[in-house]
Amino acid sequence: MSDTIEKIKCLIIGSGPAGYTAAIYAARADLKPVIYTGMEPGGQLTTTTEVDNYPGYPDGVDGTTMMEDFKKQAERFDTEVRFGLATKVEFDDTVGGTHKVTIDGNKTIEAETVIISTGATAKYLGLESEERLKGGGVSACATCDGFFYRGQDVIVVGAGDTAAEEATFLAKLCKKVTMLVRRDEMRASKAMQHRVNNTKNLEILFNTELDEVLGDTVVEGVRVINNQTQEKHDIAVTGVFIAIGHKPNTELFKGILDMDETGYLITQGKSTKTGKPGIFAAGDVQDKEYRQAVTAAGTGCMAALDAERYLAALES
Ligand code: NDP
C-alpha cells in the first residue's frame, strides 16, 4: 500500500551511465529529475576494476570512482538521487497521461515522463569458486578487463556471439585463449565462428564445461570436465571470462512494455521511445549489441532529449 504520493516531471529508474547521463540532461532542461538508484547504485561498472575506455579519463579510472563522478555531475544540476527500488509500474496509454511508479512497495511517484535505465546483468554459472574470485581474475567483460591479461593465458566460457567476440578480442592481447563450449557446436553466427576458427592462438574445447575455478584469492587455473566422458583436467590460466549471456532487468515491465524474445525493451527507430507515450528506455536495458558505458551514456542523453521534446509538445 502506498503511503505517500509525489508528483514530478521526470523519473529515472536505474543509476548506471545511462541513468546519470539522462539525469544530467534532464536537470539542465529544468525537468527536475528524480533518479532511483536500484539495489546496485552505479550499476554494472561498480563491479569492474579499471575503466580504460571511457573518453575523458586519459589515465583510466576505477568503475566505482567513475560512477561517483557521474552522480556528482548529476547532483550539480540539482538531480535528486535516491536509494530505492521501483517495485511496480502503472503506465498510462494516453499522451500527456500520468505514470505511477511504486518505490520500495510503499511510496508512489506520479511522473509525466519515465526514463528506464535498469540495465542488464551478466549471467554467471553459479559456482562458489567463480563467485569468490570475481574481481580476482573472474570477469564477465573482456572489453573492460581483458587488458590486464596481456601476454597471459585465459579461458572464455560460452559459445554465442558474445563469447566469440570476447575470445577473438582477448586473443589479440593474450598468449592463448581457450574457449569452453558445452555442446559439440557453437551457437555463434557463422561469421563469428569463422573468425574464431581463424584465430591461431585460440583453442576450442567442445563438450567441455567449467567445473571449478582454482586459486584462493586470485585465479591460478581452472578444472574443466568433458561432459561426454566425465573426464576432468586442469588448465593453468590467470583469467576466466564468463560469456554466457546477459539478462536485461525488465521483470517489472513484463506484459506492460514491448520486449524482444530475450526480454530487452524495444525502442522505436533511432529514438528511445517505447510503445507508451512518455516512457523512454536507455542503456543496456534496450541494447544487447554494444553494451558499453559510453553507448549507454549516449542513449541516456537521447532519452532526456526525447522526454524534454515530449513535454514541450504537450505544452505547445
Ligand atoms: P546467447 O544466449 O546467444 O549465447 C549464450 C551462450 O552461452 C550459448 O552458447 C550457451 O550455450 C552458453 N551457455 C549458457 N549457459 C551456459 C552454461 N551454464 N554453461 C556453459 N555455456 C553456457 O548470448 P550472447 O550474449 O552470446 O548473445 C546475446 C544476443 O546478442 C544474441 O542474439 C547475439 O547474436 C547478440 N550479439 C550480437 C553481437 C554482434 O552482432 N556483434 C555481439 C554479441 C551479441 P548453448 O549454445 O549450448 O545454449
Side-chain angles (χ1 to χ4, degrees):
M1 276 292 289
S2 300
D3 53 18
T4 48
I5 295 180
E6 185 182 357
K7 291 179 192 292
I8 62 172
K9 275 194 176 163
C10 179
L11 172 68
I12 300 169
I13 311 174
S15 58
Y20 278 132
T21 306
I24 292 164
Y25 274 77
R28 286 168 59 84
D30 215 19
L31 303 188
K32 301 188 170 36
V34 173
I35 181 167
Y36 276 94
T37 61
M39 298 318 280
E40 189 179 60
Q44 289 181 78
L45 275 176
T46 59
T47 64
T48 77
T49 44
E50 194 82 355
V51 179
D52 275 330
N53 55 7
Y54 199 90
Y57 290 101
D59 301 319
V61 59
D62 79 85
T64 306
T65 305
M66 181 168 120
M67 293 321 299
E68 268 304 308
D69 285 349
F70 270 69
K71 178 169 177 271
K72 273 188 221 151
Q73 192 170 351
E75 285 177 329
R76 193 175 127 216
F77 301 108
D78 293 334
T79 298
E80 241 195 86
V81 181
R82 300 179 187 165
F83 183 76
L85 192 67
T87 48
K88 187 179 172 198
V89 295
E90 293 163 81
F91 294 151
D92 200 311
D93 283 321
T94 51
V95 174
T98 299
H99 307 292
K100 289 186 189 169
V101 177
T102 308
I103 306 294
D104 295 331
N106 61 15
K107 177 179 173 69
T108 302
I109 303 280
E110 289 190 352
E112 291 172 52
T113 61
V114 179
I115 295 174
I116 299 166
S117 48
T118 47
T121 307
K123 290 188 203 159
Y124 284 89
L125 298 164
L127 301 171
E128 181 279 323
S129 53
E130 172 197 51
E131 180 63 30
R132 181 165 43 83
L133 290 162
K134 273 185 199 167
V138 174
S139 165
C141 181
T143 327
C144 322
D145 299 328
F147 192 70
F148 304 111
Y149 300 91
R150 265 180 313 167
Q152 301 173 40
D153 291 349
V154 300
I155 64 150
V156 173
V157 182
D161 281 332
T162 301
E165 206 167 70
E166 303 230 327
T168 48
F169 172 81
L170 287 164
K172 290 190 197 122
L173 304 166
C174 300
K175 193 158 90 196
K176 184 177 176 192
V177 178
T178 306
M179 268 183 102
L180 305 186
V181 173
R182 67 177 171 181
R183 290 186 292 133
D184 60 1
E185 61 175 2
M186 289 178 67
R187 179 183 295 274
S189 62
K190 288 282 173 270
M192 289 304 292
Q193 288 192 41
H194 186 69
R195 207 187 289 175
V196 166
N197 290 329
N198 281 300
T199 304
K200 281 202 181 72
N201 58 338
L202 203 166
E203 184 187 7
I204 307 175
L205 300 181
F206 288 102
N207 298 313
T208 304
E209 295 177 43
L210 182 62
D211 190 49
E212 205 70 71
V213 187
L214 308 172
D216 287 334
T217 52
V218 292
V219 172
E220 290 165 8
V222 287
R223 178 158 304 139
V224 301
I225 179 165
N226 181 307
N227 57 28
Q228 301 299 300
T229 62
Q230 306 308 317
E231 270 173 41
K232 295 184 183 183
H233 74 275
D234 294 353
I235 307 174
V237 292
T238 48
V240 175
F241 289 87
I242 309 292
I244 59 170
H246 284 72
K247 191 178 175 306
N249 301 319
T250 52
E251 278 297 311
L252 197 58
F253 313 108
K254 274 207 175 123
I256 298 171
L257 294 177
D258 295 335
M259 298 177 188
D260 72 8
E261 66 290 350
T262 46
Y264 285 85
L265 295 184
I266 294 173
T267 48
Q268 297 174 358
K270 287 184 181 170
S271 79
T272 63
K273 293 175 192 167
T274 67
K276 302 256 185 214
I279 309 293
F280 307 91
D284 287 11
V285 74
Q286 54 84 58
D287 169 26
K288 65 179 170 196
E289 194 162 334
Y290 299 105
R291 293 196 303 246
Q292 300 302 300
V294 68
T295 51
T299 54
C301 158
M302 289 162 60
L305 295 178
D306 285 341
E308 185 191 351
R309 286 171 192 163
Y310 167 81
L311 290 172
L314 291 179
E315 282 163 21
S316 61

